[in-house]
Amino acid sequence: MSQQEFRLVGKYNGPRITGAKAAAGAIKYGWDFNLPNQLYMRILRSPYAHAKVTAVDASAALAMKGVHGVLTPFDFKDSPVRLAGTTMMILPYDKVRYAGEEVCAVVADDPYIAEEALSKIKVTYEPLPYVLDVEEAIKPDAPQLHEGGNIVRTPTTVTYKVGDTAKGFAEAELTVEFKLKSQTIQHNNIGTYAALVSWEKDGRLHMWTDAQYMHGPRNTLATVLGIPQSRICVHAELCGGGFGDKSGAQRCHILAAIFATKTGRPVKFKLTREDNLLQGLHRWTCVTYFKFGLKKDGTVTAFEAKNYSNAGAYYSVWGSGMATEQLYIYKWPNFLVDCYDVYTNTPRTGPLRCVADPQSCWMIETAMDRLAFQLNMDPIAFRLKNNMFTQGDKDPVTGNRIPSIGQPQCINRAKELAEWDKKWKPWPKTKPTSGVVRGIGVANHCCGHGAGSLANAAVLVMNPDGSLTIYTGATDIGNARREQLAIIAAEHLGLPFEKVTVANYSTDTGPDSGATVGSRQTKSAGNAVGVAALQVKDQLLARAADRLKVTKEELSVGEEKIFVTKDPSKSVTIRELVASAPWIIAAGQWIPPANTTQRTYGTHIAEVEVDCDTGLVKVLKVVAVHDVGRVIYRKSCLSQVHGGIIQGIGMALQEELLFDPQTGRPYNASMLDHKMPLSSQAPEIVVDFVETVEQPPDSYNHGAKGLGEPPTSPIVPAITNAIANAIGVYFDTLPVTPDKILKALGKV
Amino acid sequence: MQPIKYYEPKTLDDAVKILTTIPDAAIIAGGTELLHVIRQNCLPTFQPTALINIKKIPGLSYIKEEGGTLKIGPATTLVDIANNETVKTKYRALAMAAAHVASPLIRNMGTIAGNICQDVWCWYYRASDNQFNCIRKGGAICYAIGGDNRYYHSIFGGPRGCYAVCPSDTAPALVALNATIVTTKRNIPAENFFTELQPGNVLEKGEIVKEIQIPTPPATSKSAFMKAAIRPSIDFALASAAVWYNISGGNVTESRIVLGGVYLTPKRAKAAEDFLKGKAITGETAAAAGKQAVIDAIPMVGNAYKKSVAAAMVTKALLA
Ligand code: SF4
């Protein structure tokens, strides 16, 4: 279908359903739910980076008026629960593995009593040597965090090999080697982990929270409590920010459920900012050694990378490593990428707006720019020289089909919008030493999207008045899930947007549709809704055919009617067809096609200003072009890109969670010092979309690909490449702070 | 956290009385600094049992010019100072400094006396639950020396073993404008108000800042404040500069150049002042004065770049 034929897809651009209420503070998030008689939970943090927990004396805390329970590691001696890729205890009975890790928890009548009780719990530690740095941790004599050593292979840390790199290096006219290192960042969601957990009158455990996934946490709680999954209901109406941090049950959720079970009272908690900075997941530090072989005309003949990812004390179920998606931009003939995860005494890691994509995108696109710099070639010309993937190309590692590839269109469109040919000037021959200089930088991007799980499910129910209700577990975490799914269904069924509603979110009201992660739900839940919508449509057509005495094939849908295509005056309204039982109800599940690799593409171009006296960088303008397959709801597509760019500024220029080698302790675990970007740093942003429909066309969701994560990645190398263009220096580490810039300019 | 008693005295005298009779009482006005210290539980010796709110005392928030002196009440908010027309025209460095403090929310709450009485902002010092019991708190070592000193530490040494910096934006402006801090006990020139040791000022037990006075500068003089920070708002200065100078016959007759964010106290740059004497302010002299201002810097391992930042702020302020 061409864009013109859609009624709503890409065209409906009404306001976000929850937008005005959210802006007015009228929406309830995890912390906003209350029940009579509720208790408040607080969690005690470990002050040690690595220590045996030899004893806990909670008697003074328990003796306090208003304290109703304390849980210690010794309560969980025999109950390991897999909360992460690593088996992680509910509380670490054997030893704590990083400073800030949960050690004990307490519930009390109010949060102040709970906080005071924390200070009365006496934990005896036997400190152990610790290791914070990933390259220190791989040394044979490094302190060991888990049995089996510090180096692990996780689901995403593997070896990727194409061609023969030895042959490729033999063909090379020059080789370039460097090492790049990214940083550790926490999500800093506006809403920290928070929930209210209660055994209700229906004899079931209810949890009100904000989450990217309801069924996963429900299932974890059922396992821990030893009760059927059906006896738990998780409610997650809206989410105060997710970005990967809220994709599963954390220790805090489980502890609250245990307390609620033990005390018979509702238990409420909200992590403090510092707790969340340390007990949430973290985008991990990647250290990668690169070696490139290339010809003088700019052709890369071979590339090898050895990646060590700082998995922290525990890695998430998604694993760590270096995202391989970046290997799907250029058709390198020979490459070998070897990834290792390494445990260190730092917080646990997990996805932050993609599993490893921001780190990998920064590294690969920095590498590409460095090679262009080496040859003094226009960075876009250099990229175009290196055979970008185009429609029809296959996955080089697995041979899988890639249904749609829009990389060349993205870079060409971005180049045009940014007036690249007018603005790009070669790198300065001598480094500037004072004043303000400008630069422009480019970066491509590819990442997976859409699938990642077989759970993609929705139930559609036609109501007697001809409106439609969608029931799904695909939560709305700010990504306009409600609007997108409604548009997809309404488009199929000839209904106006207003007549399609997504039911409130809980595990009772929608089937498991997987987590809202991995830029997947417009594709995955969208396809599940599409599958069900086509079933609904088929039943409507059958009923209409019966009434109008024609065959289904002769009918069309539109304007809340089913009509004879050739003679639209012969019609029946949908309302008439569904006014009485039997109802039209359809369950849709989408199974991602086999041997297929879903990929989404993008290009960012950033213009920056570098102050050579202060080392401060200002991002002036960003052009962002993304291949989204199909725009469903433009408003949310734009806000994904705007948000991603601002978040990316943090990674490029200022954000980092830091641990002190002298003590193993965090020293900047606050919003002030972690330095997430502010709205005042937002640049001018120009956005455009490339629509490359998958081949063969995927008719269920009208061809949309994912966009949630992509916009936060290419902005990072676009900024650092622009800095390099301005001052002639590429940096090996992130973030690029003033101290690094002025040192590189020889001003130190 | 222990329960804290809360007082709302009617007069400054009453506040002093409570302050001297209750052993661990503390003054609170805007609360933006004090509540952070209490909630962080970062100072082992500072556990106030009582808070005395002076913001409710009538008549402590004012800005007025009287007999050649600008008088500012201690509880005057930073936003009021930043927006005051008189301050903006005649005491420009102070208005600019007040406008650069943190964020609008904090400027609405925070007061001028609170701003100059802030303790240092060193991330080890301020970490929760006294996780880094450093020299400034009576411990054995300074974690910043062997640690991360890139943002919040001195480039002019640490004579008492502590290398933190005075984080106040208004402090260098007050020193540059030759202000006097009037307390319930005495008058202290702003330049002598700040100390290297904790808590960072000379106030004695039971002594409260009562007024800030600034002599009205001659019409031939000019002042300005500039600040460099990682983020354009919220963040403390990597380095800041407040300058005041008087011009006669096109040349500087007298000046006061003060750096912020680079030493335990506001740092007067005498070499830069001497350099400017008798010269016109031009791009060249301003740049040279910036260099002079940091000529005696002895930076730490991670913060040598702040020399350039501080120099740039002096230059910018002189040309502003
Ligand atoms: S600089 Fe001062 S406050 Fe910071 S760690 Fe050192 S002694 Fe403590």
Side-chain angles (χ1 to χ4, degrees), chain A residues 302-334:
Chain A
F303 136 56
E304 283 181 357
K306 193 162 220 173
N307 162 256
Y308 299 99
S309 288
N310 184 345
Y314 312 92
Y315 70 84
S316 85
V317 284
W318 316 91
S320 310
M322 182 174 150
T324 51
E325 283 93 338
Q326 297 306 314
L327 307 173
Y328 295 78
I329 298 176
Y330 312 99
K331 282 188 278 179
W332 285 308
N334 309 295

Side-chain angles (χ1 to χ4, degrees), chain A residues 142-274:
Chain A
Q144 303 289 302
L145 275 86
H146 298 274
E147 284 182 10
N150 288 342
I151 301 181
V152 272
R153 289 275 191 156
T154 67
T156 49
T157 51
V158 283
T159 302
Y160 303 92
K161 188 176 181 322
V162 160
D164 177 355
T165 49
K167 188 176 135 269
F169 282 117
E171 288 166 10
E173 289 167 355
L174 68 157
T175 55
V176 184
E177 292 183 62
F178 44 85
K179 170 187 165 188
L180 296 177
K181 185 177 183 185
S182 68
Q183 78 274 49
T184 295
I185 297 182
Q186 219 280 321
H187 308 56
N188 272 316
N189 285 312
I190 299 305
T192 57
Y193 294 147
L196 172 67
V197 187
S198 174
W199 283 91
E200 287 294 284
K201 293 184 190 66
D202 59 3
R204 302 162 73 219
L205 186 80
H206 289 254
M207 176 163 79
W208 291 266
T209 185
D210 43 356
Q212 293 174 252
Y213 196 19
M214 302 182 297
H215 292 79
R218 178 196 69 173
N219 301 349
T220 306
L221 293 186
T223 307
V224 172
L225 299 176
I227 58 174
Q229 292 169 353
S230 60
R231 279 192 68 200
I232 298 176
C233 181
V234 174
H235 309 254
E237 197 53 44
L238 280 159
C239 191
F243 304 111
D245 204 18
K246 294 178 184 160
S247 43
Q250 301 294 336
R251 280 173 165 159
C252 49
H253 302 98
I254 294 171
L255 291 165
I258 293 171
F259 273 132
T261 307
K262 283 193 172 208
T263 61
R265 289 173 65 175
V267 172
K268 175 169 170 151
F269 72 87
K270 177 173 118 178
L271 261 57
T272 64
R273 178 58 57 188
E274 189 173 0

Side-chain angles (χ1 to χ4, degrees), chain A residues 327-349:
Chain A
L327 307 173
Y328 295 78
I329 298 176
Y330 312 99
K331 282 188 278 179
W332 285 308
N334 309 295
F335 66 80
L336 176 65
V337 177
D338 222 356
C339 302
Y340 299 90
D341 270 3
V342 183
Y343 291 126
T344 65
N345 296 105
T346 59
R348 52 191 178 266
T349 54

Side-chain angles (χ1 to χ4, degrees), chain B residues 119-126 132-137 141-145 149 152-154 160-165 196 264 300:
Chain B
D119 202 349
V120 296
W121 192 283
C122 159
W123 41 21
Y124 300 103
Y125 186 73
R126 295 269 180 163
F132 300 92
N133 191 37
C134 64
I135 284 187
R136 195 175 176 87
K137 304 180 192 184
I141 68 162
C142 164
Y143 292 91
I145 295 176
N149 44 49
Y152 304 135
H153 294 91
S154 169
R160 314 277 188 142
C162 168
Y163 287 76
V165 297
E196 277 100 356
L264 290 138
M300 302 172 78

Side-chain angles (χ1 to χ4, degrees), chain A residues 667-687:
Chain A
Y667 59 90
N668 75 335
S670 73
M671 285 290 240
L672 182 68
D673 289 337
H674 187 280
K675 303 219 182 293
M676 97 191 250
L678 303 175
S679 56
S680 53
Q681 293 182 274
E684 179 192 348
I685 299 173
V686 177
V687 184

